Amino acid sequence: MGHNIFAVKQVTRAVQPEDLRALLERPPRATLAFVSDGTIQVLPVAFRYEDGRYLVGLPPSPEPPAGRVKLLVDDGPWYFDLRGVWVRGALTACETPTGVAGGNAWFELKPEKTVAWHYGSMRQG
């Protein structure tokens, strides 16, 4: 039998997080989402990507988010500029990253799942 002339080709915007290293090292914004008392909470956070580690700075509070959280680092004002990485996992306390001013409590986000995209690199997959 011959090949299927009706085979569908997919176009994908998916990339590897390492492909967006420049975004991770100089993020214009980072946001953390988590569930608290049955309600989804979202807050801007300080973020550092160091040696493959996802470090999140939160304002000091009595209790950091427990359980799974999702971090979003993204950029791009126009469709073909849209790029980002989200990481889902749990936070564990860590030391303040080198060269960062005090004031935040710092945590490492241990990835359970990571997804990255870049619309400017759309290609057939």
Side-chain angles (χ1 to χ4, degrees):
M1 294 217 118
H3 61 24
N4 182 353
I5 62 172
F6 298 105
V8 177
K9 292 186 177 182
Q10 285 189 314
V11 175
T12 180
R13 57 177 167 58
V15 295
Q16 296 300 312
E18 301 80 40
D19 297 333
L20 297 177
R21 186 176 204 76
L23 172 65
L24 291 171
E25 291 177 347
R26 290 179 300 288
R29 67 184 157 263
T31 308
L32 192 73
F34 55 95
V35 175
S36 176
D37 295 326
T39 304
I40 297 172
Q41 304 291 320
V42 180
L43 55 106
V45 295
F47 173 75
R48 292 287 186 265
Y49 182 73
E50 291 184 358
D51 301 321
R53 298 170 60 212
Y54 299 90
L55 307 178
V56 177
L58 299 171
S61 68
E63 292 291 322
R68 284 187 175 149
V69 300
K70 190 178 277 188
L71 171 72
L72 172 65
V73 178
D74 69 326
D75 189 25
W78 309 106
Y79 177 79
F80 281 102
D81 292 331
L82 296 176
R83 59 195 177 128
V85 175
W86 68 252
V87 182
R88 182 181 66 210
L91 297 173
T92 57
C94 69
E95 296 293 321
T96 301
T98 308
V100 173
N104 285 330
W106 284 88
F107 300 86
E108 181 175 356
L109 176 53
K110 302 281 187 172
E112 293 174 5
K113 182 171 183 176
T114 305
V115 174
W117 64 92
H118 189 277
Y119 281 88
S121 67
M122 289 180 76
R123 63 200 184 284
Q124 288 189 1

